[in-house]
Amino acid sequence: MNSYKFDWAVIDKYLPELLKGLWITLEVSLVGMAIALIFGLLLAMGRLSPLRLTRSVANGITQVFRSIPLFVMLFWVYYGLSLKFHVLFTEFQAGALALGITGGAYMAEVFRGGLLAVDPGQREAAMAMGISKSTTFFHVIFPQALRVVVPPSVNVYVGLLKGATIVSVIGVSDMIYVAQYVSLQTFTPFELYSVAGIVFVALTVSISGFAWMLERRLGRGRSE
Amino acid sequence: MSSPVSAPDALAPDFLKLVGVSKTFGNHRVLDKIDLAVSEGEVLVIIGPSGSGKSTLLRCINFIAAPDEGEVIFQGHSWKAMSSKYNFLANRKYEQKLTVLRSEIGMVFQNFNVFPHMTAAQNVMLGLTKVRKQSKDNARKAAVEALSQVGLAEKVDQYPEKLSGGQKQRVAIARALALQPKVMLFDEATSSLDPELVNGILEEIRRLAKAGMTMVVVTHEMNFAFQVAHRIVFMDQGRIVEIGTPDQIRKTTEPRTRSFLSAILN
């Protein structure tokens, strides 16, 4: 390391490119999270189904998709689906989908815990009034589960945000891709990757702060 | 909608009737072939040791706990135990039928079960807008009215966390009454209240009894039971041991009823 000369000027020079990369990282992770929320909720509902078959299938999917490394998932979605089934995805779409599937498997567990945390008496009270199952779910159960679900969901999102850096391997020009690309020309990987790391810390801290605010807002009427 | 009645005894003038209702949890038979009829305007109080199946019986009336066998007959319509949980289409129809039954029967729980993420008014409005299909404005008016009747006019826009146990139970009562049910079920409505709040809730139930509401009440408040009931049902081990007027029950010679009453009254 003694021979390495730090050159922070490179950051100044390539900052716009890095920020553009950051924007793509955010986009791909947010789209991935949106997919994860929907997929995860469906899986969680499947896992809480009164029907054993539905439960087993949802449990199996959760277990398998949670175990597959994101890297492998990304290759399956991007190359596997397109080569084998001729489903063509752009790099961005493949990245978001892979993140969504993996994140969904994690969210399934989060949602399941949240839904189970709601007192069964709540469902009974709604049932006793003749309120339909779906209305009970969306107006009574889900809003209460949401409070429990927010903090662990933020963890899942932070995971996806960091996981999103892996999309650089299929050529999505996210921040890591830009850092890599630039450092090949300038020979300053340390500076570039460090800045990327610091940006991620700043992001994670802001997201946690946002989650804290959200939690407080949802916290009204906390205890019965 | 509800199907026509098939049972021959449906012509009997009973308003609400349980025929051969049984319920099993695991290996434990909680209710064993219960037959019970309630007339319109009657206050029926169910007493018995804990674990005797009182609450389960109450919950079978509106299928919050679906009976395994038997049927509930209400206003000439019959609701039978569900045959299979694997028939999706039949289950959907069955659920819709149950919704009709449930919307006519109000229920108040031991643990209040008010919705903590909704204000008192919103708690009452949910059923009015979703079940009775009222507009938000009308539902709001009806909710304020219902809450005022249980003495909560000042608390309409409070969240439950700001309310005492007694006030939460009043919200739950208002929520049930706003739907104008034809029967009210009370499942140990005072059991989780602080002692000084119990009388207030009992007073509400008494007020309903005077107004002629048909009620099935599970309670441990024996004085109240004997004052307010038209008939008292004594249950033990999933069966009805005895039914009678308060006077009959007080003077009963049935040994199990006697030992229960002497244990609880002394």
Side-chain angles (χ1 to χ4, degrees):
Chain A
M1 284 302 276
N2 283 338
S3 57
Y4 191 91
K5 290 212 171 62
F6 289 99
D7 176 18
W8 294 102
V10 71
I11 301 301
D12 262 357
K13 193 172 168 197
Y14 290 100
L15 193 62
E17 276 75 14
L18 283 169
L19 288 180
K20 217 182 278 171
L22 171 65
W23 184 242
I24 287 174
T25 305
L26 279 173
E27 271 183 331
V28 78
S29 64
L30 284 172
V31 174
M33 188 64 185
I35 297 170
L37 288 173
I38 296 165
F39 184 46
L41 185 58
L42 289 174
L43 277 180
M45 288 167 79
R47 294 182 64 182
L48 294 171
S49 163
L51 300 178
R52 188 182 298 164
L53 182 68
T54 316
R55 275 203 310 271
S56 314
V57 171
N59 275 337
I61 291 175
T62 309
Q63 197 58 49
V64 170
F65 284 0
R66 200 172 49 179
S67 315
I68 297 170
L70 190 54
F71 191 80
V72 176
M73 185 66 84
L74 189 63
F75 269 80
W76 278 355
V77 172
Y78 186 58
Y79 295 112
L81 285 180
S82 63
L83 289 181
K84 196 77 193 155
F85 301 104
H86 307 287
V87 190
L88 284 178
F89 289 115
T90 64
E91 291 80 0
F92 183 91
Q93 288 166 344
L97 190 58
L99 286 169
I101 293 171
T102 304
Y106 282 106
M107 283 309 297
E109 195 56 31
V110 171
F111 277 128
R112 196 180 80 100
L115 293 172
L116 284 176
V118 178
D119 178 359
Q122 296 286 311
R123 175 176 272 113
E124 288 174 1
M127 265 165 80
M129 285 192 275
I131 293 173
S132 72
K133 274 187 171 174
S134 60
T135 305
T136 300
F137 183 80
F138 288 110
H139 285 81
V140 177
I141 308 298
F142 191 66
Q144 295 185 57
L146 211 53
R147 296 196 299 230
V148 185
V149 159
V150 166
S153 301
V154 172
N155 280 338
V156 171
Y157 178 65
V158 168
L160 289 191
L161 187 67
K162 288 187 286 185
T165 56
I166 214 172
V167 297
S168 58
V169 300
I170 55 168
V172 177
S173 47
D174 75 328
M175 193 162 53
I176 295 301
Y177 185 89
V178 172
Q180 196 178 3
Y181 186 79
V182 171
S183 65
L184 285 177
Q185 298 169 349
T186 60
F187 306 107
T188 52
F190 186 82
E191 292 84 339
L192 288 158
Y193 285 125
S194 298
V195 165
I198 290 163
V199 167
F200 271 94
V201 171
L203 264 179
T204 305
V205 170
S206 334
I207 293 164
S208 304
F210 172 73
W212 182 76
M213 269 164 45
L214 198 65
E215 223 181 308
R216 271 172 52 116
R217 242 183 73 86
L218 290 168
R220 66 177 184 197
R222 176 171 298 279
S223 59
E224 206 205 310
Chain B
M1 301 306 288
S2 30
S3 68
V5 180
S6 47
D9 54 357
L11 292 172
D14 301 300
F15 180 62
L16 171 67
K17 195 168 186 173
L18 277 66
V19 183
V21 167
S22 296
K23 177 83 184 167
T24 308
F25 292 123
N27 291 326
H28 183 48
R29 200 159 174 85
V30 188
L31 291 180
D32 192 12
K33 294 202 164 56
I34 299 281
D35 296 319
L36 184 65
V38 186
S39 330
E40 192 163 10
E42 181 174 25
V43 178
L44 192 77
V45 175
I46 305 178
I47 61 173
S50 46
S52 59
K54 306 180 298 272
S55 284
T56 308
L57 175 60
L58 209 59
R59 295 149 67 85
C60 278
I61 295 178
N62 61 358
F63 284 70
I64 292 297
D68 300 327
E69 293 161 37
E71 64 181 314
V72 173
I73 297 167
F74 176 59
Q75 293 195 313
H77 298 285
S78 160
W79 283 266
K80 289 197 174 66
M82 183 164 60
S83 48
S84 161
K85 63 177 181 177
Y86 290 101
N87 187 339
F88 284 104
L89 286 175
N91 285 350
R92 260 189 83 85
K93 274 184 104 170
Y94 182 76
E95 274 293 329
Q96 282 164 1
K97 262 191 72 176
L98 288 181
T99 311
V100 176
L101 174 73
R102 287 170 181 153
S103 67
E104 298 295 328
I105 301 180
M107 188 166 195
V108 174
F109 300 85
Q110 178 177 350
N111 297 322
F112 326 131
N113 294 343
V114 290
F115 306 134
H117 59 301
M118 296 183 191
T119 63
Q122 287 166 344
N123 262 277
V124 181
M125 285 167 67
L126 187 67
L128 291 171
T129 54
K130 299 296 176 189
V131 178
R132 296 285 183 249
K133 309 290 178 203
Q134 291 186 12
S135 70
K136 276 231 161 101
D137 286 348
N138 285 341
R140 165 92 193 172
K141 275 181 208 139
V144 172
E145 167 80 25
L147 287 165
S148 304
Q149 276 182 7
V150 294
L152 290 180
E154 319 274 281
K155 305 285 182 186
V156 168
D157 293 316
Q158 295 278 8
Y159 282 97
E161 65 174 340
K162 295 272 162 63
L163 302 177
S164 72
Q167 289 168 333
K168 283 182 210 168
Q169 195 60 300
R170 284 165 199 271
V171 172
I173 292 173
R175 182 172 72 174
L177 289 178
L179 295 174
Q180 300 185 316
K182 301 200 171 69
V183 179
M184 281 291 285
L185 311 175
F186 287 88
D187 187 8
E188 302 194 26
T190 59
S191 293
S192 31
L193 291 176
D194 293 336
E196 73 271 20
L197 299 174
V198 167
N199 279 329
I201 296 301
L202 293 181
E203 207 43 58
E204 293 294 338
I205 302 176
R206 205 168 275 151
R207 194 169 59 84
L208 280 174
K210 279 192 191 128
M213 175 67 81
T214 310
M215 294 195 280
V216 184
V217 180
V218 170
T219 185
H220 290 296
E221 301 287 334
M222 285 305 140
N223 290 331
F224 172 76
F226 280 96
Q227 283 164 18
V228 82
H230 294 114
R231 284 189 303 159
I232 290 178
V233 177
F234 175 69
M235 283 186 74
D236 194 19
Q237 299 181 349
R239 295 197 178 144
I240 292 177
V241 176
E242 193 174 11
I243 306 181
T245 63
D247 261 353
Q248 288 169 337
I249 295 291
R250 204 177 274 128
K251 294 171 188 156
T252 185
T253 53
E254 208 292 323
R256 273 186 291 175
T257 315
R258 283 186 67 135
S259 78
F260 173 76
L261 285 178
S262 65
I264 212 163
L265 291 176
N266 298 330

